[in-house]
Amino acid sequence: MTDYAAIYPTNVIVDERTKGFISAFYAISDDPSRNDEWVGCFAPDAVLVMGDKQARGIEDIRELRGSMWEKTKSRKHKLEKVYPSTFGQSKPESEWKFEYMLHGLVDLELRTTEKVAGQWAARAILTNHEGKLKYTLYQVYLHT
């Protein structure tokens, strides 16, 4: 298992497309040169909450993403477990939602060269937006 591959419950089916999206999101998240890809993981009207900071819509999310790297030189997530729940499976694919919580570890190196390790958890809602998975909500709780 790579650092970006989480453990999923064995009694809940999670399709490989969704698992792949979640893993790729954290690999993208840890690379400051991939801002456009990271922002592209969100629906146009998505809400992003990082601790006490909140963004709504792509431009606000882009700005918040940039601020996440102002004091951070490098970041490495390690996913642990995903706790999935699907809502609206009987609805058409355009209305489908995949809601989950997950947790993991993160190692940060700040621009001051200080190293910080922490635990985090997140709540997320994925939807099928124009044929692609996109977050409509992504909320992170961080403890360092």
Side-chain angles (χ1 to χ4, degrees):
M1 179 172 72
T2 71
D3 289 342
Y4 300 116
I7 297 170
Y8 291 81
T10 56
N11 64 337
V12 177
I13 296 171
V14 179
D15 67 77
E16 293 303 316
R17 178 180 175 219
T18 302
K19 289 180 181 179
F21 177 91
I22 292 169
S23 294
F25 177 75
Y26 291 96
I28 292 166
S29 183
D30 287 348
D31 185 342
S33 71
R34 297 174 77 181
N35 284 344
D36 288 338
E37 283 180 84
W38 193 84
V39 171
C41 292
F42 293 86
D45 60 347
V47 173
L48 169 64
V49 181
M50 292 276 182
D52 61 350
K53 297 177 182 176
Q54 183 170 331
R56 178 181 293 275
I58 294 299
E59 290 313 311
D60 284 352
I61 290 171
R62 183 180 312 282
E63 187 176 318
L64 182 53
R65 165 70 174 182
S67 73
M68 291 165 44
W69 287 101
E70 287 174 357
K71 295 180 182 178
T72 303
K73 181 178 179 183
S74 68
R75 175 174 56 226
K76 177 69 173 163
H77 286 89
K78 181 176 187 232
L79 305 184
E80 292 191 341
K81 293 182 181 177
V82 175
Y83 305 90
S85 180
T86 53
F87 296 93
Q89 282 185 309
S90 61
K91 295 181 179 181
E93 190 170 303
S94 62
E95 297 175 34
W96 171 90
K97 290 182 182 179
F98 179 74
E99 187 166 354
Y100 64 94
M101 296 207 58
L102 74 160
H103 69 90
L105 305 171
V106 65
D107 290 319
L108 304 168
E109 182 179 354
L110 304 179
R111 297 208 181 272
T112 63
T113 70
E114 178 185 2
K115 295 185 188 233
V116 180
Q119 298 177 348
W120 58 272
R123 175 179 172 234
I125 300 175
L126 275 176
T127 58
N128 191 4
H129 180 78
E130 299 177 355
K132 295 183 178 181
L133 295 177
K134 303 274 185 177
Y135 284 119
T136 56
L137 172 72
Y138 183 66
Q139 182 172 12
V140 176
Y141 308 88
L142 182 64
H143 178 70
T144 55

